[in-house]
Amino acid sequence: MEKKDFEAWLDNISITFLSLTDLQKNETLDHLISLSGAVQLRHLSNNLEILLKRDFLKLLPLELSFYLLKWLDPHTLLTCCLVSKQWNKVISACTEVWQTACKNLGWQIDDSVQDPLHWKKVYLKAILRMKQLKDHEAFETSSLIGHSARVYALYYKDGLLCTGSDDLSAKLWDVSTVACWEWSSGAKTQHFRGHTGAVFSVDYNDELDVLVSGSADFTVKVWALSTGTCLNTLTGHTEWVTKVVLQKCKVKSLMHSPGDYILLSADKYEIKIWPIGREINCKCLKTLSVSEDRSISLQPRLHFDGKYIVCSSALGLYQWDFASYDIVRVIKTPDFSNVSLLGFGEIFALLFDNRYLYIMDLRTEELISRWPLPEYRKSKRGSSFLAGEMSWLNGLNGQNDTGLVFATSMPDHSIHLVLWKEHG
């Protein structure tokens, strides 16, 4: 067929083809394919790939690609990374997508990190750790053996655990290496004598050179840390003072300013707020309670970060705004157990009962993980157990999920530890 005749024929066929229904077009194509040889089929295959498999992510400007990727969930993005090296490169470099995904998992974000591939790696680490928490596989246990009598006192700071026992010894443990140092009876110690009842709680601050203590004699005493001299006795409680917390204030109100040191003291029904500085005398700023008729009792589990006060009770966790002293939140704890507070942060809370250690996501108020606990030594004062590192409660970041989570004394005089498991 001559070229001119072929072009006329092709025009007529095209007009007729365009007038057909979709079904008729498909039947026409099927018929033509059945009549085609190897040369035509190869030509068809090469051209279809160009028409149907356009790599839009490669063709689009990078900014527009990033905009489209924001609409996909992280799981889908990880699947898309398998399409090609180019897709993996573009998707991995979409910093905002991976930062948002990490935030949604409760991870802290450091905006100073400029590496475009960093946040995808962080997300992969985060998703692994959160899966371990969900599957109750994020922790491991260990034991410290060395005391020969009951362990009643535990204190933890900066990776070191201090224990005091009825065997008249105090031991200092490195929980990462289980190394132990013992103070002999001739070592220099500081005694704080003056309470007429058992001491249930202490806290101290090196900058102020102050130690505070709460006692069964209904008082709080303020001591000079370096000399052991009693500087002041704070009265007003009508029950045992089971918890004291010394912390720097971070908010402003009519009664205090950021940077002021604040002392909280709690008994069975009330939390009292005191200003603590280099002056000796101080008066109670405010008394907090959850029920005027004292029908709801507080537990000796008190948390204060300078902005909010959190205390556990029989009905749940109560959170006060420290600037206004108003209750801003009541978090109901599970009905199936008597859960108490160990630690409270911006993202997570650490709780426990007689059987389990729990992690609560404070954004949803749901328990996301639990870890079984042995039959530890029970104490109403709460001195036989404590929380370890707590910076992760404000959000995990890939570095703060290490070290001690929880420690408690055991009936066999050992110390039971719950530790973060190393990343796989």
Side-chain angles (χ1 to χ4, degrees):
M1 183 181 293
E2 295 291 334
K3 182 177 180 181
K4 185 176 181 180
D5 295 336
F6 172 74
E7 290 177 350
W9 173 82
L10 189 61
D11 287 339
N12 292 329
I13 291 294
S14 299
I15 294 171
T16 305
F17 182 80
L18 291 174
S19 66
L20 300 177
T21 65
D22 287 337
L23 181 60
Q24 291 171 334
K25 289 178 181 178
N26 290 342
E27 290 180 358
T28 303
L29 290 174
D30 289 340
H31 183 67
L32 289 174
I33 291 172
S34 68
L35 297 176
S36 300
V39 175
Q40 289 76 44
L41 292 175
R42 188 180 304 111
H43 175 78
L44 188 63
S45 176
N46 292 336
N47 282 276
L48 281 176
E49 185 173 6
I50 296 173
L51 292 171
L52 299 180
K53 297 182 180 180
R54 290 183 178 179
D55 191 343
F56 70 93
L57 207 60
K58 185 178 180 180
L59 297 173
L60 287 174
L62 193 60
E63 295 78 6
L64 191 54
S65 297
F66 286 168
Y67 176 78
L68 292 176
L69 292 174
K70 292 177 185 178
W71 296 93
L72 300 179
D73 62 272
H75 181 74
T76 302
L77 288 174
L78 290 176
T79 303
C80 291
C81 286
L82 303 176
V83 172
S84 67
K85 290 183 179 180
Q86 178 66 23
W87 278 46
N88 182 51
K89 182 179 179 180
V90 173
I91 294 171
S92 299
C94 191
T95 301
E96 186 176 347
V97 167
W98 299 113
Q99 283 186 339
T100 302
C102 290
K103 287 180 181 178
N104 291 338
L105 289 175
W107 279 56
Q108 297 178 13
I109 300 301
D110 182 1
D111 294 324
S112 65
V113 179
Q114 300 297 322
D115 182 4
L117 303 180
H118 171 77
W119 291 109
K120 180 190 172 186
K121 297 176 183 177
V122 171
Y123 174 78
L124 292 174
K125 180 183 285 188
I127 203 72
L128 172 61
R129 181 59 93 192
M130 298 307 293
K131 183 179 185 301
Q132 289 177 336
L133 286 172
K134 183 179 179 180
D135 296 340
H136 318 306
E137 297 176 350
F139 304 133
E140 59 188 5
T141 58
S142 180
S143 294
L144 304 177
I145 301 174
H147 285 292
S148 59
R150 294 176 298 180
V151 177
Y152 272 132
L154 296 100
Y155 184 80
Y156 178 81
K157 187 175 183 180
D158 298 333
L160 299 178
L161 178 67
C162 180
T163 59
S165 168
D166 276 353
D167 63 9
L168 306 183
S169 73
K171 296 179 184 292
L172 189 64
W173 309 80
D174 184 331
V175 297
S176 61
T177 63
V178 199
C180 176
W181 298 268
E182 183 170 355
W183 290 291
S184 64
S185 57
K188 181 180 179 180
T189 60
Q190 192 60 265
H191 296 281
F192 302 90
R193 302 184 184 277
H195 281 295
T196 58
V199 175
F200 295 149
S201 179
V202 296
D203 201 355
Y204 71 92
N205 182 274
D206 288 315
E207 181 182 346
L208 293 177
D209 189 34
V210 161
L211 181 142
V212 293
S213 57
S215 170
D217 61 11
F218 302 170
T219 69
V220 177
K221 287 188 179 291
V222 182
W223 313 82
L225 185 60
S226 57
T227 65
T229 305
C230 181
L231 304 177
N232 199 0
T233 300
L234 309 180
T235 60
H237 285 283
T238 57
E239 299 283 344
W240 292 357
V241 182
T242 53
K243 187 67 177 180
V244 291
V245 176
L246 187 58
Q247 179 64 268
K248 187 178 288 188
C249 174
K250 297 180 182 178
V251 293
K252 182 177 178 59
S253 78
L254 294 176
M255 298 183 182
H256 47 72
S257 301
D260 293 346
Y261 279 96
I262 299 295
L263 167 64
L264 302 185
S265 58
D267 61 32
K268 189 176 181 180
Y269 300 108
E270 295 179 339
I271 301 171
K272 291 188 178 293
I273 302 171
W274 314 82
I276 293 291
R278 299 193 181 278
E279 72 280 359
I280 295 177
N281 297 314
C282 61
K283 295 182 179 180
C284 179
L285 296 176
K286 186 73 174 179
T287 299
L288 306 178
S289 64
V290 296
S291 59
E292 295 183 0
D293 59 357
R294 296 195 166 193
S295 59
I296 303 175
S297 60
L298 301 175
Q299 298 170 351
R301 314 308 305 171
L302 182 65
H303 176 85
F304 177 49
D305 63 358
K307 297 179 180 179
Y308 298 99
I309 300 171
V310 182
C311 190
S312 56
S313 74
L315 295 183
L317 304 178
Y318 282 80
Q319 183 179 22
W320 287 267
D321 176 38
F322 192 60
S324 64
Y325 301 131
D326 293 332
I327 295 176
V328 295
R329 193 177 186 185
V330 180
I331 302 174
K332 298 297 182 181
T333 49
D335 297 330
F336 56 80
S337 59
N338 184 21
V339 175
S340 297
L341 175 69
L342 271 173
F344 193 93
E346 297 176 3
I347 304 295
F348 303 111
L350 185 63
L351 313 169
F352 77 111
D353 60 15
N354 291 337
R355 299 176 58 201
Y356 293 101
L357 192 66
Y358 301 96
I359 296 178
M360 175 182 283
D361 188 328
L362 294 173
R363 297 167 299 176
T364 61
E365 299 185 8
E366 294 180 354
L367 298 179
I368 62 171
S369 185
R370 72 179 187 184
W371 186 260
L373 295 176
E375 288 291 329
Y376 57 87
R377 187 183 297 281
K378 307 300 188 297
S379 169
K380 293 182 179 179
R381 300 190 298 270
S383 59
S384 64
F385 43 78
L386 53 74
E389 303 287 350
M390 291 197 289
S391 62
W392 62 273
L393 296 174
N394 291 322
L396 295 161
N397 62 15
Q399 281 81 43
N400 58 8
D401 52 343
T402 59
L404 184 67
V405 179
F406 175 80
T408 183
S409 59
M410 301 295 292
D412 64 358
H413 318 320
S414 66
I415 312 298
H416 180 79
L417 306 180
V418 177
L419 306 160
W420 281 103
K421 187 182 294 183
E422 291 188 10
H423 283 282

